[in-house]
Amino acid sequence: MTTVLLVDDHSVVRMGLKALLSRAAGFQVAGEAATGREALEKAAALRPDVVLMDVRLPDTSGIETCRMIREQLPDTKVLMLTSYDDDEAAVAAVVAGAAGYILKHVEADELLRAIRLVAQGTCLLDPQVTRGVMEHLRAGARTGPRLDQLSEREQEILQLIGEGLTNREIAARLYLAEKTVRNYVSSLLQKLNLSNRTQAAALVSRNRLLGGRM
């Protein structure tokens, strides 16, 4: 049985998704949330297999909520569901740790299949979104920051950020103090002229997808 937490600020959407999952074999709706904050609280309490979440929430973005859920609950998969074909949001969702990004025009059977695949550990993107993400990454590769200005340790930490590890997890992996990792992260962000670790993860993803080397 795959447990699912539904996150959408529109109650009608949640009702429709709940009805769909209730009729399908192998699914159980663990709970519902209308905001990012509520999603974090419900996810922590219920520990669902999959969080099915809208990209746009009233208090914070679904992408930021995804990142926080993945940090706190690494075994919980997040599948983003949205009405908007937004390349920027798709890239951000992927680097925030989302296992998939599906457009709301998807057929019911396709959505159920996507949830099953995500629950099993498959990374899934809508084909239309995939094309947009790749174009976005290729475009960024032509103007992206240089990585050779980073120290070996900073490059190592950047790579781990790209793998979705939190500062605490990086500290444990490299046998460093968490404060030391934070300092390294701040330094590499400044050197690369990036605003946050999501942008850093996007940079790693872009290099990896385009065959670049760290």
Side-chain angles (χ1 to χ4, degrees):
M1 185 69 69
T2 298
T3 57
V4 182
L5 173 63
L6 303 176
V7 184
D8 197 294
D9 60 331
H10 293 97
S11 59
V12 173
V13 173
R14 296 199 308 272
M15 288 173 59
L17 291 171
K18 184 174 183 179
L20 173 65
L21 290 169
S22 298
R23 292 195 302 267
F27 294 103
Q28 178 182 348
V29 176
E32 303 177 36
T35 66
R37 182 174 182 176
E38 189 178 3
L40 288 170
E41 294 173 352
K42 291 286 184 71
L46 300 171
R47 295 183 175 271
D49 298 313
V50 177
V51 176
L52 184 60
M53 181 160 54
D54 193 1
V55 168
R56 304 195 178 194
L57 297 173
D59 57 340
T60 185
S61 74
I63 291 167
E64 178 63 14
T65 304
C66 169
R67 184 187 66 76
M68 290 188 284
I69 288 175
R70 292 288 295 149
E71 284 188 347
Q72 297 174 17
L73 302 169
D75 292 333
T76 294
K77 311 301 181 184
V78 180
L79 180 59
M80 308 302 297
L81 187 64
T82 181
S83 302
Y84 304 95
D85 183 4
D86 183 341
D87 295 345
E88 289 280 356
V91 172
V94 172
V95 299
Y101 186 103
I102 301 295
L103 302 181
K104 285 185 177 178
H105 63 56
V106 69
E107 296 294 331
D109 288 346
E110 294 178 55
L111 177 58
L112 293 174
R113 177 176 176 274
I115 297 172
R116 289 192 183 98
L117 289 173
V118 164
Q120 294 166 6
T122 300
C123 186
L124 184 68
L125 279 177
D126 184 290
Q128 182 179 351
V129 173
T130 303
R131 287 192 294 273
V133 169
M134 291 304 297
E135 289 172 3
H136 180 95
L137 293 171
R138 291 191 183 98
R142 293 191 288 270
T143 58
R146 292 176 54 190
L147 300 180
D148 57 5
Q149 60 189 308
L150 301 181
S151 68
E152 287 189 19
R153 179 64 85 184
E154 287 169 342
Q155 291 188 34
E156 189 175 17
I157 289 175
L158 177 61
Q159 182 67 41
L160 294 176
I161 290 174
E163 293 176 12
L165 273 65
T166 64
N167 286 348
R168 180 177 299 178
E169 291 169 334
I170 293 172
R173 176 79 64 87
L174 300 180
Y175 303 101
L176 297 172
E178 189 173 351
K179 182 178 179 180
T180 301
V181 172
R182 285 199 300 269
N183 291 337
Y184 274 121
V185 172
S186 296
S187 175
L188 70 87
L189 290 178
Q190 183 176 12
K191 287 182 179 180
L192 297 175
N193 195 28
L194 301 176
S195 300
N196 52 57
R197 62 191 298 124
T198 297
Q199 292 179 351
L203 176 62
V204 175
S205 297
R206 183 176 69 210
N207 281 328
R208 186 180 299 126
L209 288 173
L210 297 177
R213 299 178 65 182
M214 292 295 300

